[in-house]
Amino acid sequence: MNERTLTMIKPNAVKKHVAGKIISMWEDAGFEIVQIKRKHLTTSQAEGFYKEHDGKPFFAGLVEFMTSGPIYILVLEKENAIADNRKLMGATNPANAEEGTIRKLYADSLGENAVHGSDSPQSAAREIDYYFNVFEL
Ligand code: ATP
Ligand code: MG
């Protein structure tokens, strides 16, 4: 059964002009691009998206980074999309990411790690709903 996941290309990757290369990796791995938009998040939009991390030591830096420039927000679809995207993205810290993963190729650091991907069906549903309305899906 097909599944959807919410993914973002973060400001460092957009700035480096590797968004197209990252999107190609998703297409080559069999993901369907259901929706895509470019957006420069406001502080409150980034805080709301990452509210599960509110209170953690890296929260302020994460919000500052995520609002430092435009991002691409995508809804991707395929069988097992959530887990398969996490695998394709690689470990959160690029130092631990496997060869050939998006983060190994395009992350600059643990904070500036190029991409986000939903980590469960619950977070995928919340995150898709956060950015896209019913008429867009
Ligand atoms: P994402 O949610 O972006 O897909 P993730 O699920 O692999 O990444 P989370 O634990 O959800 O990782 O953390 C969200 C983001 O916060 C990470 O992608 C990273 O950019 C940043 N982050 C997490 N831990 C740290 C840390 N210790 N120091 C700096 N930044 C961090
Ligand atoms: Mg996460």
Side-chain angles (χ1 to χ4, degrees), residues 1-2 26 57 82 92 108:
M1 210 193 80
N2 272 354
W26 283 317
I82 296 167
T92 308
D108 294 301

Side-chain angles (χ1 to χ4, degrees), residues 49-50 52-53 86 89 92 103 116-119 123 127:
F49 183 84
Y50 279 115
E52 66 170 305
H53 297 302
R86 299 282 294 184
M89 286 179 1
T92 308
R103 283 168 168 163
H116 162 86
S118 306
D119 61 10
S123 67
E127 292 172 3

Side-chain angles (χ1 to χ4, degrees), residues 7-107:
T7 192
M8 298 186 285
I9 302 175
K10 296 184 177 184
N12 66 307
V14 174
K15 227 164 268 169
K16 289 194 287 189
H17 291 159
V18 294
K21 291 195 168 77
I22 294 172
I23 291 167
S24 284
M25 290 175 75
W26 283 317
E27 291 190 318
D28 290 346
F31 290 88
E32 203 64 42
I33 298 167
V34 175
Q35 266 296 358
I36 177 168
K37 65 180 160 198
R38 177 184 161 110
K39 172 117 188 85
H40 193 150
L41 295 177
T42 65
T43 297
S44 68
Q45 286 167 344
E47 285 172 348
F49 183 84
Y50 279 115
K51 66 177 185 199
E52 66 170 305
H53 297 302
D54 194 357
K56 294 182 186 170
F58 60 85
F59 183 68
L62 175 61
V63 169
E64 192 175 336
F65 165 58
M66 287 301 293
T67 57
S68 67
I71 61 171
Y72 287 89
I73 307 165
L74 301 88
V75 178
L76 302 179
E77 184 174 289
K78 86 189 253 312
E79 211 173 284
N80 209 28
I82 296 167
D84 284 1
N85 184 39
R86 299 282 294 184
K87 200 167 169 207
L88 181 61
M89 286 179 1
T92 308
N93 187 340
N96 305 323
E98 279 182 48
E99 289 298 329
T101 60
I102 296 172
R103 283 168 168 163
K104 181 72 180 185
L105 288 164
Y106 301 118

Side-chain angles (χ1 to χ4, degrees), residues 111-124:
E112 304 201 359
N113 60 1
V115 282
H116 162 86
S118 306
D119 61 10
S120 68
Q122 292 73 22
S123 67

